[in-house]
Amino acid sequence: MPILEYHLIGDKDGTYSREVNHFRRDIQLLYDRGYRPITVAQLMDKKFDIPAGTSPVVFTFDDASPGQFRYIEKNGQLEIDPNSAVGIWLDFNKKHPDWKNRATFCLLPAAKAGHAFFGEKGIEGQKSEWRFKKVKFLADQGFELCNHTLWHAQLNKYPDAFVLEQIARGVMAIDSAVPGYKVRTMALPQGLWPKNRPLAWQGSWTDKKSGRTIRYAHDGVLKVAGSAAPSPFTAAFDTHSMPRVQVIGNAIEKTLDRLEATHERFVVGSAKP
Ligand SMILES: [Zn+2]
């Protein structure tokens, strides 16, 4: 099953950027070829709410940039920018109700250059006070919120205490936006594992200021690269180390073509657990 990985959605294509119209085409292509979206959590739970005869695809969005979810202020009203990933997605959902609001957003609450819950401090016109509203909106619509750490530190370079703080504060920030939200998925910044690998899925950290202890237990960890993930009904599927397909060039077409050529495409209703 393909777990697609997007970063910036904007005006050009690149290793970490998808041009807006190409993003639109990606959705249309997957739809036309019989794919329907699910979240990482649904993949791990093996619970796909997609019609029999279709195939699951997972969209993941890393780094919480404004291009993924941008507001436009019009006469005091906030509108979702139709050229941001969320705007494009919701528009497609409106025209194709069987393309549901199922995607996984791997968030950064406090990284540089607007990578803070989709923008702040006027970057790309985004106000800091819109941050929690966006995160809450995504959760309310059925999208999954995923932890991508506090500010994207390279976890392999730091001692355990620092790693715990980076990961726990990612969870804490999501909880501030959506109180009680259970974060189940974590994406490793740049795919780099902490020296103590199990810290990626479980740990706790105590905030010295408040004395509050934050515990986290991620069911799943996403890597940066790889190919389509094995079916979750097979022993090869490891939730603690899930591969992703970086959407660069025609990576989606290539992946779908290969899955068909090797008869490895997963189709709901045709496979027995
Ligand atoms: Zn990232």
Side-chain angles (χ1 to χ4, degrees), residues 5 7 16 62-64 106 108 148 152 187-191 224 244:
E5 177 181 355
H7 292 92
Y16 298 104
D62 282 17
D63 304 342
C106 297
L108 293 170
H148 198 31
H152 216 267
L188 295 166
Q190 295 176 246
V224 157
R244 291 193 282 177

Side-chain angles (χ1 to χ4, degrees), residues 73-151:
E73 207 166 14
K74 272 188 190 161
N75 308 319
Q77 297 283 326
L78 288 184
E79 286 175 16
I80 297 171
D81 185 343
N83 287 313
S84 65
V86 172
I88 292 165
W89 190 288
L90 295 175
D91 180 59
F92 198 85
N93 163 257
K94 208 182 277 176
K95 292 171 187 147
H96 309 276
D98 56 335
W99 184 270
K100 293 188 185 176
N101 295 335
R102 304 277 186 264
T104 298
F105 287 85
C106 297
L107 304 168
L108 293 170
K112 286 181 197 154
H115 293 277
F117 285 167
F118 310 107
E120 59 171 354
K121 298 174 183 165
I123 295 169
E124 291 188 45
Q126 302 306 288
K127 293 187 178 170
S128 300
E129 61 264 35
W130 296 343
R131 288 173 296 172
F132 283 11
K133 186 182 165 77
K134 290 177 178 174
V135 176
K136 176 84 168 55
F137 176 86
L138 291 177
D140 288 346
Q141 296 300 312
F143 295 107
E144 179 186 8
L145 309 178
C146 150
N147 184 7
H148 198 31
T149 77
L150 180 64
W151 50 255

